[in-house]
Amino acid sequence: MAWRTLCRAALRSPTDLGVSNVKGFGTAGTLWRRAAPLGPMPNDDVDLNDPEAQKRYDSFTRYLKVAEEAKNKKAWWRTYRQHLKEENRDEDAPLVNIGLASRRQSRKEQVKERNRVMRENRRNPELEKATRLLTFSIPLDRVKAEWERTAGPYHLHNVARHYAVYRDLFPGAYFLPRVMLRIAYGNSPGTHVHYGNHVTPTEALAAPHVNYESDPDALWTLLLTSPDEHLHDNEGEYVHWLVGNIPGDAVHLGEELCQYLPPLPVKGTGFHRFIFILFKQDGPIKFQEDRRPAPFHNLNQRTFKTLEFYRAHQDSMTPAGLAFFQSQWDDSVSQTFHGLLNMKEPVFEFVWPPVYHPPQKLYPHRQPLRYLDRYREGHVPTYGIY
């Protein structure tokens, strides 16, 4: 009965209700109808009732040609790609190369060089003998050196673009890492820094050993920064290490402008990027404004912008090397916050309290079989079946 009364009230016209400006169900139904398209829709000329009468291509080449013509034909609607292009106009702008000047070999020159090496290998009797006796070995050091000289910088550039290194540090610009950095936090291979590998904060407590090829008279600047760590500014960075006026590859003889600070990936924020950038200097630079006193343990004063630092010295330095690693929270981060920075550790993850267990009974009556598992000593307790 109540449902019938409700339906009658809903179907009454606005004039019956004494209101003249209320839309009825007829108006709502009209607004719900889809408007006619502004032009012909795709495949409107296809008769689905008579598929045998449709045009046959007879070959894939002919079909591909027709498909390309249909793809290039201008339509009255906007595609999803066009919508994205309008929203991301700034990202589609051409990037400026701010790195060292270089020239990449053409495809023709690469093929010519490869054919020359193959001809020399075929004429080498010692190489033929080692291949026949199955004693031939490939020197991996030479392969790596050749990769670093030819295709390595372009591969590393693609990896850095994938990890948004240029977008966050040098908006609107990029550079090819022509100088290969060899960075190690320890002797084991797992502590070496490559291009996006994982290094724990415990392994990176002390400053790493940095090596690269350089002329003894050249001057360099080494920077370690993190674009993901800042606690108050999403666009800000924390500088972890800054050394300027490095003679050759002797980083320890350079002018330490900012003391080394271990990684600080806050708990609950996932992996953070820590990026090493090597700048080649045209000559000695005076870094009065970039110098931090040592020991320097104030996190607020470590706020940094790589782009502003480069703009201040762009006439005297050029980015030449790049390496970075990722790091996630561990127990050493808490010790760095409390002991080194003397501040409370921010946590963005809920820490569950331990499970409460009532005092153990000497004679547990009518308890589960694994009752004693609740009170066993161990780092990870087993709670059994309850």
Side-chain angles (χ1 to χ4, degrees):
M1 186 65 181
W3 174 252
R4 188 181 303 171
T5 305
L6 180 62
C7 291
R8 288 177 180 176
L11 293 175
R12 293 174 65 185
S13 62
T15 54
D16 297 337
L17 297 174
V19 182
S20 59
N21 58 350
V22 178
K23 293 182 179 180
F25 283 95
T27 307
T30 304
L31 295 176
W32 174 82
R33 295 173 186 171
R34 186 174 60 182
L38 301 178
M41 297 296 292
N43 300 328
D44 275 351
D45 55 342
V46 177
D47 187 9
L48 300 178
N49 298 325
D50 189 9
E52 297 296 334
Q54 302 302 321
K55 179 181 178 181
R56 296 182 180 276
Y57 300 102
D58 297 332
S59 67
F60 180 76
T61 304
R62 191 174 302 172
Y63 164 76
L64 189 62
K65 183 178 179 180
V66 175
E68 288 291 336
E69 293 177 355
K71 178 183 177 181
N72 298 329
K73 186 178 179 181
K74 190 175 181 180
W76 59 269
W77 64 83
R78 290 191 300 174
T79 62
Y80 178 70
R81 184 173 299 176
Q82 292 173 345
H83 282 284
L84 288 180
K85 190 174 182 180
E86 292 181 1
E87 293 179 359
N88 305 323
R89 290 180 179 178
D90 297 338
E91 297 182 3
D92 295 337
L95 301 179
V96 180
N97 186 1
I98 59 176
L100 298 175
S102 61
R103 176 186 173 272
R104 188 174 186 178
Q105 282 187 335
S106 64
R107 179 64 178 174
K108 185 177 180 180
E109 293 174 345
Q110 293 178 6
V111 173
K112 186 177 180 180
E113 179 68 17
R114 188 181 299 113
N115 293 336
R116 183 189 64 81
V117 174
M118 292 176 64
R119 285 195 301 268
E120 292 180 356
N121 291 339
R122 291 193 186 99
R123 297 171 184 172
N124 190 346
E126 296 180 358
L127 185 63
E128 186 273 335
K129 182 179 178 180
T131 306
R132 178 164 39 83
L133 298 178
L134 303 180
T135 58
F136 174 73
S137 61
I138 300 176
L140 297 182
D141 295 339
R142 290 179 55 187
V143 174
K144 184 178 180 181
E146 182 67 17
W147 174 80
E148 292 179 352
R149 185 182 66 85
T150 56
Y154 299 94
H155 293 173
L156 304 184
H157 169 257
N158 294 334
V159 173
R161 287 191 59 186
H162 174 75
Y163 282 94
V165 172
Y166 301 122
R167 185 197 65 186
D168 294 339
L169 298 187
F170 302 97
Y174 74 97
F175 68 93
L176 292 176
R178 290 291 176 181
V179 181
M180 296 296 169
L181 291 174
R182 297 172 181 85
I183 304 173
Y185 277 101
N187 297 325
S188 62
T191 58
H192 293 190
V193 177
H194 299 289
Y195 309 99
N197 61 310
H198 182 209
V199 178
T200 63
T202 303
E203 296 170 341
L205 283 177
H209 177 71
V210 182
N211 187 22
Y212 51 88
E213 295 182 2
S214 170
D215 297 332
D217 299 332
L219 293 177
W220 306 85
T221 296
L222 182 64
L223 168 67
L224 173 58
T225 181
S226 175
D228 305 324
E229 275 189 329
H230 208 284
L231 301 176
H232 306 288
D233 185 7
N234 293 333
E235 304 295 332
E237 309 166 24
Y238 283 142
V239 55
H240 284 259
W241 199 24
L242 183 59
V243 184
N245 295 323
I246 302 173
D249 60 348
V251 179
H252 63 282
L253 298 179
E255 183 181 355
E256 191 174 45
L257 306 175
C258 184
Q259 195 177 16
Y260 179 80
L261 179 69
L264 297 172
V266 180
K267 188 174 184 179
T269 57
F271 286 93
H272 292 202
R273 297 165 295 172
F274 296 88
I275 305 169
F276 289 89
I277 300 178
L278 184 67
F279 298 90
K280 185 175 183 181
Q281 300 178 195
D282 297 337
I285 301 177
K286 297 181 180 179
F287 295 100
Q288 285 86 357
E289 298 181 356
D290 304 303
R291 186 184 302 275
R292 271 83 169 177
F296 187 68
H297 303 318
N298 191 335
L299 196 60
N300 293 329
Q301 296 182 6
R302 282 185 178 263
T303 300
F304 189 78
K305 289 288 186 65
T306 303
L307 183 61
E308 296 179 359
F309 174 76
Y310 172 70
R311 284 176 176 173
H313 308 286
Q314 61 181 347
D315 296 333
S316 305
M317 63 170 54
T318 305
L322 174 67
F324 63 97
F325 67 94
Q326 299 183 84
S327 189
Q328 196 177 19
W329 181 91
D330 64 5
D331 294 335
S332 65
V333 178
S334 302
Q335 300 174 5
T336 303
F337 270 107
H338 298 157
L340 191 62
L341 299 177
N342 194 20
M343 61 177 293
K344 294 183 178 179
E345 179 189 7
V347 178
F348 296 92
E349 184 179 77
F350 185 76
V351 180
W352 294 93
V355 180
Y356 170 76
H357 296 299
Q360 183 180 358
K361 298 180 180 179
L362 182 60
Y363 301 101
H365 181 59
R366 304 186 68 176
Q367 295 293 336
L369 295 177
R370 300 184 63 183
Y371 171 78
L372 296 179
D373 288 348
R374 306 180 187 178
Y375 308 97
R376 294 186 186 277
E377 295 181 357
H379 183 67
V380 181
T382 57
Y383 302 116
I385 303 173
Y386 300 103

